[in-house]
Amino acid sequence: MNDIVVARQGHIGRLTLNRPKALNALNGDMVREMGKALDIWAHDPAITAVLVDGAGERGLCAGGDIRSIYDEAKAGRYVADDFWREEYIVNAAISTYPKPYIALMDGIVMGGGVGISAHGSHRFVTERTRLAMPEVAIGFSPDVGGSYLLARAPGELGTWAGLTAIPMSGADAIVCGMADYYCPSAALPGLIEALAQATTRADVESAIRAVSIQPPDSALAVHRGAIDACFSKNTVEEILAALDKANDAFLTEAAVRMRRHSPTSLKVTLRALREARAANDLKASLRMEFRVATACIRRHDMIEGIRAVVVDKDQKPQWQPGTLADVSDADVAAFFAPPVAGDLVFSS
């Protein structure tokens, strides 16, 4: 069985992630096949649009195949360097794709799943969507252009998402600028059929309008003012102090979540989000994320985080350092230095 199904369906090129038992986690072969198909379809006049979805009932994609990354790293083989390099190049290509790139962000969409969907031109969410950048929970930092996407969210909503790793609803994702359209999950098969018949961009837009509905209220929109006030602080310590002082159940949950995460990852992520906001450039953010990612896999916390969450599943990672106070500015800066793997380079 192919890990990704690359097919033509009428006038669309369809990419279906096909590892449902692994919640469609991305591996290197899948990324390469996506890149090849996108290159071919970009120049094929018979293809009006590209659509990406996930097999099974649980969601589009839970992220990269971190278990294999863990196994290789434990053996001293950093195959993740090449995986991330290829993945990030595909993420950038999606962001500038010359034809409509339609992502069905139904169910779970996390990490690498965000990278192959939220950079698209037409992004659908549903009542089942649970979108997250949960990297800090495994000693990592938002990648696949996640720092760029989160930094562009209104106010500090992206900072909240990156530091807490709490999943967003479909409505939240639209508010954060990470999705465009809301429709019932049950309407997606009809949407795909209509898109397959679309011979022009106008037909594509018409098919999209036909199924799109007004999203429900967003919890993040309701709490936007409080989130902005707390997460605009300059340090993780100051953010946590503001959350504690607020005495609000929503903000208390954010603080509880943050205190479970790697102290180093929290500080690295906050710096990454601030740098991404200042640069406001996807490729620059991807280059920065590549530096951070290749540094993370060579350090204790990411290996320990994957062990605790994915391998042993005891949910009890032993972070080193174990406190924010023990993570120095120099420690954080080391993640942003030129990587031993060589910097990420785009062809254009």
Side-chain angles (χ1 to χ4, degrees):
M1 184 175 71
N2 293 333
D3 288 346
I4 183 169
V5 178
V6 179
R8 294 167 182 259
Q9 184 171 340
H11 294 282
I12 60 173
R14 185 172 178 181
L15 298 165
T16 301
L17 309 187
N18 194 36
R19 300 181 68 203
K21 291 183 179 179
L23 225 169
N24 299 321
L26 289 168
N27 58 37
D29 289 342
M30 295 164 74
V31 169
R32 282 187 288 275
E33 289 302 311
M34 286 190 74
K36 290 176 186 176
L38 290 174
D39 285 343
I40 292 170
W41 290 336
H43 302 98
D44 187 339
I47 297 295
T48 305
V50 170
L51 181 136
V52 60
D53 63 346
E57 298 299 319
R58 298 169 63 196
L60 172 64
C61 176
D65 189 350
I66 57 175
R67 176 58 195 261
S68 65
I69 288 173
Y70 168 89
D71 290 339
E72 294 290 336
K74 287 283 285 185
R77 296 187 296 268
Y78 298 105
V79 297
D81 295 349
D82 291 333
F83 170 68
W84 285 321
R85 195 184 301 275
E86 293 174 326
E87 183 184 26
Y88 298 176
I89 288 171
V90 169
N91 298 149
I94 291 169
S95 74
T96 58
Y97 202 64
K99 296 180 179 180
Y101 183 100
I102 303 154
L104 305 188
M105 303 165 76
D106 186 37
I108 292 173
V109 186
M110 294 185 179
V114 174
I116 57 147
S117 58
H119 296 300
S121 59
H122 298 73
R123 306 163 298 176
F124 273 91
V125 288
T126 74
E127 77 283 357
R128 296 181 349 109
T129 299
R130 294 295 178 268
L131 185 152
M133 297 300 294
E135 289 78 8
V136 288
I138 58 164
F140 195 31
S141 181
D143 70 330
V144 297
S147 65
Y148 171 83
L149 292 166
L150 295 174
R152 289 164 60 87
E156 299 295 337
L157 296 182
T159 312
W160 169 89
L163 295 182
T164 68
I166 296 173
M168 304 178 197
S169 68
D172 292 334
I174 291 175
V175 166
C176 286
M178 299 178 78
D180 308 296
Y181 307 100
Y182 190 97
C183 80
S185 180
L188 295 179
L191 170 64
I192 295 171
E193 287 298 322
L195 290 169
Q197 302 303 315
T199 59
T200 66
R201 289 190 181 225
D203 292 340
V204 170
E205 299 292 345
S206 178
I208 287 171
R209 285 194 302 271
V211 299
S212 300
I213 63 173
Q214 184 71 22
D217 292 338
S218 158
L220 288 187
V222 172
H223 294 281
R224 162 79 190 278
I227 290 171
D228 287 355
C230 294
F231 284 86
S232 60
K233 307 300 182 185
N234 293 323
T235 67
V236 176
E237 291 91 339
E238 289 172 332
I239 290 171
L240 282 168
L243 292 171
D244 293 340
K245 185 178 180 181
N247 193 30
D248 173 274
F250 182 88
L251 300 178
T252 296
E253 174 63 13
V256 168
R257 294 290 191 107
M258 287 176 62
R259 288 189 168 99
R260 295 175 186 166
H261 303 327
S262 159
T264 301
S265 288
L266 288 172
K267 289 196 171 185
V268 169
T269 295
L270 183 59
R271 172 169 166 174
L273 292 175
R274 298 297 189 246
E275 289 198 8
R277 178 181 291 170
N280 194 28
D281 179 89
L282 175 58
K283 289 183 177 178
S285 293
L286 286 165
R287 281 190 290 267
M288 172 188 68
E289 291 171 358
F290 185 74
R291 292 185 171 197
V292 171
T294 55
C296 283
I297 195 59
R298 289 166 169 80
R299 286 165 169 78
H300 169 273
D301 275 10
M302 187 170 181
I303 298 299
E304 172 63 6
I306 297 173
R307 180 207 64 76
V309 174
V310 176
V311 181
D312 297 336
K313 300 181 181 178
D314 59 24
Q315 310 299 325
K316 296 180 180 179
Q318 301 299 309
W319 306 123
Q320 295 178 7
T323 67
L324 290 166
D326 289 331
V327 182
S328 69
D329 290 345
D331 293 334
V332 173
F335 286 80
F336 295 81
V340 296
D343 272 316
L344 176 65
V345 177
F346 296 95
S347 59
S348 60

